[in-house]
């Protein structure tokens, strides 16, 4: 399947309200008040957020007043333009340096957001690009977490370092870095335990991991990505701000966009956090982790 087809298929559910609303007003000439309300409803329903929805609808209403022949097609184009502007800066590529020591990427976030699977999918993807990667199973809190990453690693033939259940996660991160360094790897991908930002002891555990890694590489972690479950919308993004303050985030991964009718959540998440979205999750297979593309996203959302 091509990349655009993956976006389109993954965002099918998330785009249905928007596509439905625009489909009913296309080819019908000048928009009427009822259609404007329908469009507005669709943007709210899809979780684009109040601010973005208002901005889009204000622009559409203004153009509708000013232009006698303002049609559904024009409204669609205008909405697309505004969303493109809102998403400016959201794309980013993971470029690894050619230095002798590996870079470190920490995957963090709350329980169930998709950290572990994203670690495996990312490693698989980069490996296919010729990069040398080692995974660190640093969620030592749940016994099943290590097993989960290990089984991905077996399936995808990825290198992994694991610690025993209850081990100090910082120690496992340290060991993983050492393995990556001695094997001349490009990247060390650290899977961390899910945690809530209000649990100070767990936040301290992250800080400790960072301190320990910095003993080996003062720039580590080079990348700290927050994994956000796109199907829960902007609920709980307060946590993201706390993670950012305490740990310093460098980017986002927005997962599970395939499982929700709220495909606009990605826009509200970006608008709130203003961190580049490196990847999005469009399903459960390894190929469903895709670099975020504003163009593909918008082409999938709009008819
Ligand atoms: P609490 O200390 O009152 O929050 O009690 P809990 O039963 O929630 O947790 C006991 C200990 O287990 C905590 O002090 C943490 O060290 C650890 N812990 C609890 N929940 C989590 C979690 O979700 N992730 C990780 N990494 N550790 C946890
Ligand atoms: P963690 O607790 O943050 O490590 O989350 P996991 O990686 O264990 O993922 C939790 C569940 O979400 C698993 O069943 C994953 O297969 C699923 N998941 C992760 N990303 C996606 C995605 O992009 N789409 C779908 N449909 N499911 C996903
Ligand atoms: Mg996990």
């Amino acid at each position: 399947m091509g990349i655009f087809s993956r976006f389109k298929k993954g965002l099918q559910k998330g785009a249905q309200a928007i596509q439905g609303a625009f489909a009913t007003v296309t080819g019908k000439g000048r928009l009427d008040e009822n259609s404007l309300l329908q469009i507005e409803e669709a943007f709210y329903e899809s979780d684009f957020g109040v601010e973005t929805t208002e901005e889009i609808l204000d622009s559409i209403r203004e153009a509708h007043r000013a232009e006698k022949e303002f049609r559904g097609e024009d409204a669609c184009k205008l909405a697309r333009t505004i969303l493109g502007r809102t998403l400016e800066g959201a794309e980013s590529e993971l470029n690894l340096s050619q230095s002798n020591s590996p870079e470190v990427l920490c995957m963090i976030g709350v329980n169930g957001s998709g950290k572990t699977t994203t670690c495996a999918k990312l490693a698989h993807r980069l490996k296919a690009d010729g990069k040398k990667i080692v995974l660190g199973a640093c969620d030592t809190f749940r016994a099943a977490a290590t097993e989960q990453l290990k089984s991905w690693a077996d399936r995808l033939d990825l290198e992994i370092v694991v610690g025993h259940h209850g081990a100090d996660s910082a120690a496992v991160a340290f060991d993983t870095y050492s393995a990556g360094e001695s094997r001349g790897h490009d990247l060390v991908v650290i899977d961390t335990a899910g945690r809530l930002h209000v649990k100070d002891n767990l936040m301290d555990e992250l800080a400790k991991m960072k301190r320990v890694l910095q003993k080996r590489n003062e720039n580590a972690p080079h990348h700290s990505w927050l994994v956000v479950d796109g199907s829960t919308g902007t609920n709980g993004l307060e946590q993201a701000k706390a993670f950012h303050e305490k740990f310093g985030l460098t980017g986002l991964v927005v997962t599970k966009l395939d499982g929700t009718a709220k495909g606009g959540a990605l826009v509200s998440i970006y608008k709130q956090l203003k961190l580049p979205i490196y990847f999005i999750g469009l399903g459960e297979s390894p190929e469903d982790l895709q670099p975020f593309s504003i163009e593909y996203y918008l082409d999938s959302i709009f008819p």
Side-chain angles (χ1 to χ4, degrees):
M1 206 193 296
I3 298 170
F4 178 56
S5 310
R6 282 192 190 279
F7 267 74
K8 225 175 149 95
K9 183 165 169 281
L11 287 162
Q12 220 164 36
K13 229 168 151 185
Q16 66 193 7
I18 295 297
Q19 293 183 347
F22 282 117
T24 57
V25 300
T26 298
K28 300 254 168 71
R30 181 172 165 83
L31 279 175
D32 57 24
E33 182 55 31
N34 198 31
S35 314
L36 285 168
L37 289 173
Q38 253 177 13
I39 293 170
E40 183 169 15
E41 184 61 32
F43 277 99
Y44 276 121
E45 227 174 90
S46 314
D47 232 6
F48 282 92
V50 176
E51 214 180 300
T52 303
T53 300
E54 278 179 0
E55 190 186 343
I56 290 171
L57 264 296
D58 286 351
S59 303
I60 289 178
R61 283 181 191 282
E62 196 184 315
H64 185 250
R65 269 193 302 272
E67 296 167 36
K68 257 215 201 104
E69 285 310 314
F70 194 77
R71 302 159 308 155
E73 294 86 320
D74 303 318
C76 184
K77 225 194 244 167
L78 192 52
R80 202 197 137 105
T81 305
I82 291 167
L83 285 178
R85 215 163 53 209
T86 309
L87 285 171
E88 245 167 52
E91 278 176 352
S92 201
E93 230 179 289
L94 176 65
N95 292 312
L96 300 177
S97 76
Q98 302 295 313
S99 87
N100 292 327
S101 47
E103 291 193 4
V104 179
L105 188 156
C106 289
M107 215 65 89
I108 62 187
V110 299
N111 280 316
S113 59
K115 296 175 296 301
T116 302
T117 38
T118 299
C119 283
K121 290 171 179 173
L122 176 71
H124 174 68
R125 183 180 185 93
L126 295 174
K127 188 183 169 205
D129 272 353
K131 298 281 186 282
K132 292 175 84 180
I133 319 289
V134 58
L135 293 167
C138 300
D139 180 354
T140 53
F141 179 68
R142 284 191 312 125
T146 295
E147 280 314 306
Q148 187 192 355
L149 192 61
K150 178 109 185 28
S151 83
W152 273 100
D154 289 345
R155 219 176 100 200
L156 299 172
D157 193 22
L158 305 166
E159 289 180 48
I160 183 170
V161 171
V162 301
H164 62 87
H165 173 47
D168 182 350
S169 53
V172 182
F174 186 89
D175 289 346
T176 312
Y177 184 85
S178 301
E181 190 175 48
S182 65
R183 299 175 199 166
H185 281 10
D186 301 296
L187 185 68
V188 171
V189 177
I190 303 288
D191 184 26
T192 69
R195 68 198 71 227
L196 287 172
H197 65 289
V198 288
K199 297 225 168 185
D200 284 339
N201 54 337
L202 300 182
M203 294 304 272
D204 291 346
E205 188 183 278
L206 273 186
K208 178 178 176 190
M209 186 183 281
K210 186 172 181 170
R211 265 195 325 273
V212 167
L213 283 165
Q214 286 177 345
K215 284 188 192 160
R216 300 300 302 269
N217 186 324
E218 59 180 7
N219 296 318
H222 306 71
H223 315 275
S224 298
W225 290 357
L226 184 76
V227 182
V228 184
D229 178 341
S231 68
T232 61
T234 45
N235 283 340
L237 280 192
E238 278 310 309
Q239 32 121 349
K241 288 176 191 145
F243 277 121
H244 198 27
E245 259 166 42
K246 295 226 170 165
F247 200 65
L249 299 171
T250 62
L252 301 173
V253 176
V254 183
T255 59
K256 306 190 199 181
L257 286 171
D258 55 304
T260 176
K262 302 178 169 198
L266 178 142
V267 174
S268 5
I269 290 168
Y270 177 67
K271 202 168 161 74
Q272 281 207 33
L273 301 182
K274 279 287 153 81
L275 285 164
I277 302 169
Y278 281 87
F279 286 92
I280 60 174
L282 294 165
E284 298 200 70
S285 81
E287 294 72 24
D288 288 326
L289 184 75
Q290 288 291 336
F292 178 57
S293 152
I294 297 174
E295 192 187 337
Y296 285 172
Y297 173 74
L298 294 177
D299 282 348
S300 303
I301 293 284
F302 288 102

